[in-house]
Amino acid sequence: MRKPRRDDSEAYAKPIPDILSQIKDSYSELRPAERRVADVVLADVTFSVDASNAEIARRAEVSEPTVTRFCRAIGCDGVRDFKLKLAQSVVVGRLYLAPAPPAGEVSSNASPLWTEVFGEARNALNLVERQIDPLDVIAAAELVASAHQVLVFGLGGSSTSLALETQNRLFRYGVVVSAHSDPYVMKMTASTLKPNDLVIAISGTGRTREVVEAVQLAKHYRAKALCITAPDTDLAATADVALTVDIPEFPDPLKPTASRYAFLAIIDLVSSAVGTRLDPDARETLRRIKYTVLNHRKGRVLEPLGD
């Protein structure tokens, strides 16, 4: 009995093969002539994408059949398949293939990215100040303050840590809040929400499918949604209140992303507004936390709370 065929929309998207890693991982297993082809490809990926089989062979000082054997040795069907996969790798990671600047180019403080790191952080904060409407922050704080419970969703490295930071900021005001970064847990908890609950979703791109779907599910069950993300994105479109900021990324991939400075500033703006909205109950909760912390270890009153 023939198995029913699945519709293409139901199938998992085929991942782009990382052909550059395949070349590096297979390098020790290649023949000497094939290694010369690998050296040419890795030394100038852009050339290798555009060059013909004969041009690659001439630069590597091998025969054209050797280039074909190299392609098959690293798991490709042939030269055409190799060139297609190589082009896809270049599209995904062109920044990461660029040569590093000379090691001698450092500033007087011995850090080549000193100016860039501080400059990008300042720029991110300035963009938040210019792009975020204070009235939207107040509206966001009202959603948080009036919610029965708050779920914070963030998926991936930066968004996961920002979701935890949001939880850390809000619980101290007495808000019932929990952060989640597992996509299944996000959907399961979203399905338990009620009209007086709130989801805060954080995404640097606004296109993370699992986060968007979890927020849409929460909205289906009539919960409210507050999103901290990039403007004109799928996630922003789902929100009752969207706090969006457009942060251009610095082209050097070795420098950490600056958008997290912007998102941390937005989280601080919202949490401060929530504290003001919930005062005096928030102040009493903070007093209890500080009292407990100072009983646990000696310290001063004006120190980071709970640290």
Side-chain angles (χ1 to χ4, degrees), residues 102-143:
E105 293 183 6
V106 298
S107 61
S108 58
N109 50 44
S111 172
L113 288 175
W114 182 276
T115 302
E116 287 81 359
V117 169
F118 282 107
E120 288 295 291
R122 285 190 291 265
N123 181 59
L125 295 177
N126 289 334
L127 288 173
V128 171
E129 191 171 11
R130 293 201 298 267
Q131 295 181 25
I132 296 296
D133 188 337
L135 294 179
D136 288 338
V137 173
I138 294 173
E142 184 61 34
L143 286 178

Side-chain angles (χ1 to χ4, degrees), residues 1-290:
M1 182 177 178
R2 194 174 72 176
K3 294 181 180 179
R5 294 179 60 185
R6 291 192 303 168
D7 184 81
D8 289 343
S9 62
E10 297 176 1
Y12 289 106
K14 187 176 180 180
I16 297 174
D18 186 356
I19 195 65
L20 295 175
S21 289
Q22 288 180 219
I23 295 172
K24 295 174 183 178
D25 293 343
S26 304
Y27 190 86
S28 63
E29 303 168 6
L30 299 176
R31 298 171 180 173
E34 294 168 351
R35 290 183 186 178
R36 290 202 294 272
V37 179
D39 292 337
V40 167
V41 172
L42 295 174
D44 194 342
V45 176
T46 301
F47 161 79
S48 302
V49 169
D50 299 327
S52 66
N53 193 14
E55 290 170 331
I56 295 175
R58 279 195 297 271
R59 182 170 287 195
E61 298 180 349
V62 299
S63 65
E64 291 186 41
T66 298
V67 177
T68 302
R69 286 194 296 270
F70 159 77
C71 295
R72 290 174 178 161
I74 61 171
C76 298
D77 295 333
V79 176
R80 177 175 292 185
D81 183 43
F82 165 70
K83 299 290 283 295
L84 175 62
K85 291 176 178 176
L86 187 64
Q88 290 173 321
S89 292
V90 171
V91 170
V92 170
R94 186 177 294 274
L95 280 176
Y96 302 91
L97 300 172
E105 293 183 6
V106 298
S107 61
S108 58
N109 50 44
S111 172
L113 288 175
W114 182 276
T115 302
E116 287 81 359
V117 169
F118 282 107
E120 288 295 291
R122 285 190 291 265
N123 181 59
L125 295 177
N126 289 334
L127 288 173
V128 171
E129 191 171 11
R130 293 201 298 267
Q131 295 181 25
I132 296 296
D133 188 337
L135 294 179
D136 288 338
V137 173
I138 294 173
E142 184 61 34
L143 286 178
V144 175
S146 60
H148 175 259
Q149 66 169 324
V150 177
L151 302 183
V152 190
F153 294 159
L155 192 61
S158 293
S159 294
T160 294
S161 61
L162 289 168
L164 289 171
E165 180 62 20
T166 303
Q167 173 184 286
N168 186 46
R169 285 280 181 262
L170 294 179
F171 91 88
R172 61 187 64 191
Y173 298 130
V175 176
V176 179
V177 56
S178 59
H180 302 284
S181 59
D182 182 290
Y184 289 100
V185 174
M186 283 161 44
K187 281 194 171 184
M188 288 190 291
T189 53
S191 66
T192 68
L193 297 181
K194 295 178 175 58
N196 58 343
D197 295 327
L198 172 68
V199 165
I200 300 177
I202 303 172
S203 172
T205 65
R207 298 188 303 272
T208 305
R209 178 174 54 85
E210 294 86 348
V211 176
V212 174
E213 290 177 351
V215 174
Q216 290 173 338
L217 184 60
K219 294 283 292 180
H220 172 75
Y221 289 104
R222 299 171 60 196
K224 299 294 185 182
L226 162 63
C227 296
I228 302 174
T229 187
D232 303 318
T233 58
D234 293 340
L235 184 59
T238 67
D240 295 284
V241 175
L243 300 177
T244 64
V245 60
D246 184 18
I247 305 294
E249 286 298 328
F250 194 77
D252 190 333
L254 299 180
K255 190 195 73 61
T257 177
S259 61
R260 74 188 191 285
Y261 296 114
F263 281 22
L264 280 170
I266 294 172
I267 291 167
D268 278 356
L269 287 170
V270 173
S271 61
S272 296
V274 170
T276 301
R277 166 67 173 74
L278 293 177
D279 199 16
D281 291 337
R283 195 178 300 271
E284 171 59 18
T285 304
L286 290 168
R287 186 197 65 78
R288 293 185 184 187
I289 294 172
K290 194 65 177 180

